[in-house]
Short mmCIF file of all heavy atoms in Angstrom, two decimals:
data_model
loop_
_atom_site.label_atom_id
_atom_site.label_comp_id
_atom_site.label_asym_id
_atom_site.label_seq_id
_atom_site.Cartn_x
_atom_site.Cartn_y
_atom_site.Cartn_z
N SER A 87 -11.13 -13.32 8.61
CA SER A 87 -12.28 -14.02 8.06
C SER A 87 -13.50 -13.56 8.83
O SER A 87 -13.46 -13.44 10.05
CB SER A 87 -12.12 -15.53 8.23
OG SER A 87 -11.03 -15.99 7.49
N LYS A 88 -14.57 -13.26 8.14
CA LYS A 88 -15.78 -12.78 8.78
C LYS A 88 -16.96 -13.47 8.12
O LYS A 88 -17.05 -13.48 6.90
CB LYS A 88 -15.89 -11.27 8.64
CG LYS A 88 -16.98 -10.66 9.46
CD LYS A 88 -16.68 -9.19 9.67
CE LYS A 88 -17.63 -8.55 10.61
NZ LYS A 88 -17.42 -8.89 11.99
N PRO A 89 -17.86 -14.04 8.92
CA PRO A 89 -19.03 -14.69 8.31
C PRO A 89 -19.95 -13.67 7.65
O PRO A 89 -19.88 -12.46 7.95
CB PRO A 89 -19.73 -15.36 9.50
CG PRO A 89 -19.30 -14.56 10.68
CD PRO A 89 -17.92 -14.07 10.38
N VAL A 90 -20.80 -14.13 6.79
CA VAL A 90 -21.78 -13.25 6.16
C VAL A 90 -22.73 -12.74 7.24
O VAL A 90 -23.27 -13.52 8.03
CB VAL A 90 -22.57 -14.00 5.06
CG1 VAL A 90 -23.68 -13.12 4.52
CG2 VAL A 90 -21.63 -14.43 3.96
N THR A 91 -22.89 -11.43 7.31
CA THR A 91 -23.78 -10.81 8.28
C THR A 91 -24.52 -9.67 7.60
O THR A 91 -24.11 -9.18 6.56
CB THR A 91 -23.02 -10.25 9.50
OG1 THR A 91 -22.08 -9.27 9.05
CG2 THR A 91 -22.28 -11.33 10.25
N SER A 92 -25.57 -9.23 8.23
CA SER A 92 -26.29 -8.04 7.76
C SER A 92 -25.68 -6.83 8.43
O SER A 92 -25.32 -6.86 9.60
CB SER A 92 -27.78 -8.14 8.13
OG SER A 92 -28.36 -9.23 7.45
N TYR A 93 -25.58 -5.74 7.68
CA TYR A 93 -25.02 -4.51 8.22
C TYR A 93 -26.01 -3.85 9.17
O TYR A 93 -27.21 -3.81 8.91
CB TYR A 93 -24.68 -3.53 7.09
CG TYR A 93 -24.31 -2.17 7.62
CD1 TYR A 93 -23.07 -1.97 8.20
CD2 TYR A 93 -25.22 -1.12 7.60
CE1 TYR A 93 -22.73 -0.74 8.73
CE2 TYR A 93 -24.89 0.11 8.13
CZ TYR A 93 -23.64 0.30 8.69
OH TYR A 93 -23.32 1.50 9.24
N ALA A 94 -25.49 -3.33 10.28
CA ALA A 94 -26.30 -2.54 11.22
C ALA A 94 -25.42 -1.42 11.76
O ALA A 94 -24.27 -1.66 12.16
CB ALA A 94 -26.80 -3.41 12.37
N PRO A 95 -25.90 -0.17 11.76
CA PRO A 95 -25.12 0.94 12.31
C PRO A 95 -24.81 0.70 13.79
O PRO A 95 -25.58 0.05 14.50
CB PRO A 95 -26.05 2.15 12.16
CG PRO A 95 -27.06 1.74 11.14
CD PRO A 95 -27.20 0.25 11.25
N LEU A 96 -23.68 1.23 14.24
CA LEU A 96 -23.31 1.12 15.66
C LEU A 96 -24.10 2.16 16.46
O LEU A 96 -24.00 3.35 16.19
CB LEU A 96 -21.81 1.35 15.83
CG LEU A 96 -20.90 0.30 15.16
CD1 LEU A 96 -19.45 0.75 15.21
CD2 LEU A 96 -21.07 -1.05 15.84
N VAL A 97 -24.86 1.71 17.44
CA VAL A 97 -25.69 2.62 18.23
C VAL A 97 -25.09 2.89 19.61
O VAL A 97 -25.62 3.71 20.36
CB VAL A 97 -27.13 2.09 18.39
CG1 VAL A 97 -27.83 2.06 17.04
CG2 VAL A 97 -27.15 0.72 19.04
N LYS A 98 -24.00 2.22 19.96
CA LYS A 98 -23.27 2.49 21.19
C LYS A 98 -21.81 2.17 20.93
O LYS A 98 -21.46 1.60 19.90
CB LYS A 98 -23.81 1.67 22.36
CG LYS A 98 -23.65 0.18 22.19
CD LYS A 98 -24.21 -0.57 23.38
CE LYS A 98 -23.97 -2.07 23.19
NZ LYS A 98 -24.36 -2.84 24.33
N GLN A 99 -20.95 2.55 21.89
CA GLN A 99 -19.51 2.36 21.70
C GLN A 99 -19.19 0.91 21.34
O GLN A 99 -19.69 -0.01 21.97
CB GLN A 99 -18.77 2.77 22.96
CG GLN A 99 -17.26 2.70 22.82
CD GLN A 99 -16.55 3.42 23.92
OE1 GLN A 99 -16.40 4.63 23.85
NE2 GLN A 99 -16.14 2.70 24.95
N GLY A 100 -18.38 0.75 20.31
CA GLY A 100 -18.00 -0.59 19.88
C GLY A 100 -17.32 -0.53 18.53
O GLY A 100 -16.97 0.55 18.05
N PHE A 101 -17.16 -1.70 17.90
CA PHE A 101 -16.49 -1.76 16.60
C PHE A 101 -17.07 -2.88 15.76
O PHE A 101 -17.73 -3.79 16.27
CB PHE A 101 -14.98 -1.95 16.78
CG PHE A 101 -14.61 -3.27 17.40
CD1 PHE A 101 -14.27 -4.35 16.60
CD2 PHE A 101 -14.61 -3.44 18.78
CE1 PHE A 101 -13.95 -5.57 17.16
CE2 PHE A 101 -14.29 -4.65 19.34
CZ PHE A 101 -13.95 -5.72 18.53
N TYR A 102 -16.80 -2.80 14.47
CA TYR A 102 -17.19 -3.81 13.50
C TYR A 102 -15.93 -4.17 12.74
O TYR A 102 -15.53 -3.47 11.80
CB TYR A 102 -18.29 -3.26 12.59
CG TYR A 102 -18.88 -4.28 11.65
CD1 TYR A 102 -19.63 -5.34 12.12
CD2 TYR A 102 -18.69 -4.17 10.28
CE1 TYR A 102 -20.17 -6.27 11.27
CE2 TYR A 102 -19.23 -5.11 9.41
CZ TYR A 102 -19.97 -6.15 9.91
OH TYR A 102 -20.50 -7.09 9.06
N ASP A 103 -15.26 -5.22 13.17
CA ASP A 103 -13.95 -5.57 12.65
C ASP A 103 -14.05 -6.40 11.37
O ASP A 103 -15.08 -7.01 11.08
CB ASP A 103 -13.17 -6.36 13.70
CG ASP A 103 -11.67 -6.25 13.54
OD1 ASP A 103 -11.20 -5.46 12.70
OD2 ASP A 103 -10.95 -6.96 14.27
N GLY A 104 -12.98 -6.40 10.59
CA GLY A 104 -12.90 -7.22 9.39
C GLY A 104 -13.43 -6.56 8.14
O GLY A 104 -13.45 -7.17 7.08
N VAL A 105 -13.84 -5.29 8.23
CA VAL A 105 -14.42 -4.59 7.07
C VAL A 105 -13.70 -3.25 6.91
O VAL A 105 -13.90 -2.33 7.69
CB VAL A 105 -15.93 -4.36 7.26
CG1 VAL A 105 -16.51 -3.59 6.09
CG2 VAL A 105 -16.66 -5.68 7.46
N LEU A 106 -12.84 -3.15 5.90
CA LEU A 106 -12.14 -1.91 5.60
C LEU A 106 -12.19 -1.67 4.09
O LEU A 106 -11.73 -2.52 3.33
CB LEU A 106 -10.69 -1.94 6.07
CG LEU A 106 -10.48 -1.95 7.58
CD1 LEU A 106 -9.01 -2.16 7.92
CD2 LEU A 106 -10.99 -0.66 8.21
N GLY A 107 -12.73 -0.54 3.68
CA GLY A 107 -12.80 -0.19 2.27
C GLY A 107 -11.60 0.63 1.85
O GLY A 107 -10.49 0.43 2.34
N ASN A 108 -11.83 1.62 0.98
CA ASN A 108 -10.74 2.46 0.48
C ASN A 108 -10.85 3.90 0.94
O ASN A 108 -10.22 4.79 0.38
CB ASN A 108 -10.67 2.40 -1.05
CG ASN A 108 -11.93 2.93 -1.70
OD1 ASN A 108 -12.87 3.34 -1.03
ND2 ASN A 108 -11.94 2.93 -3.02
N GLY A 109 -11.65 4.14 1.98
CA GLY A 109 -11.78 5.49 2.54
C GLY A 109 -12.25 5.43 3.98
O GLY A 109 -12.82 4.43 4.42
N LEU A 110 -11.98 6.50 4.72
CA LEU A 110 -12.43 6.64 6.11
C LEU A 110 -12.96 8.04 6.32
O LEU A 110 -12.47 9.00 5.71
CB LEU A 110 -11.26 6.41 7.09
CG LEU A 110 -10.64 5.03 7.16
CD1 LEU A 110 -9.35 5.07 7.99
CD2 LEU A 110 -11.62 4.04 7.77
N ARG A 111 -13.94 8.17 7.20
CA ARG A 111 -14.41 9.48 7.61
C ARG A 111 -15.01 9.34 9.02
O ARG A 111 -15.26 8.23 9.49
CB ARG A 111 -15.45 10.05 6.65
CG ARG A 111 -16.82 9.41 6.76
CD ARG A 111 -17.83 10.10 5.89
NE ARG A 111 -19.17 9.54 6.11
CZ ARG A 111 -20.23 9.87 5.41
NH1 ARG A 111 -20.12 10.75 4.42
NH2 ARG A 111 -21.40 9.34 5.67
N ALA A 112 -15.24 10.48 9.65
CA ALA A 112 -15.88 10.51 10.97
C ALA A 112 -17.16 11.32 10.90
O ALA A 112 -17.26 12.28 10.13
CB ALA A 112 -14.94 11.11 12.00
#
Side-chain angles (χ1 to χ4, degrees):
S87 296
K88 190 159 187 74
V90 174
T91 59
S92 296
Y93 171 76
L96 295 171
V97 295
K98 64 179 182 175
Q99 184 166 277
F101 65 95
Y102 186 67
D103 205 7
V105 178
L106 292 173
N108 62 359
L110 294 170
R111 75 174 185 186

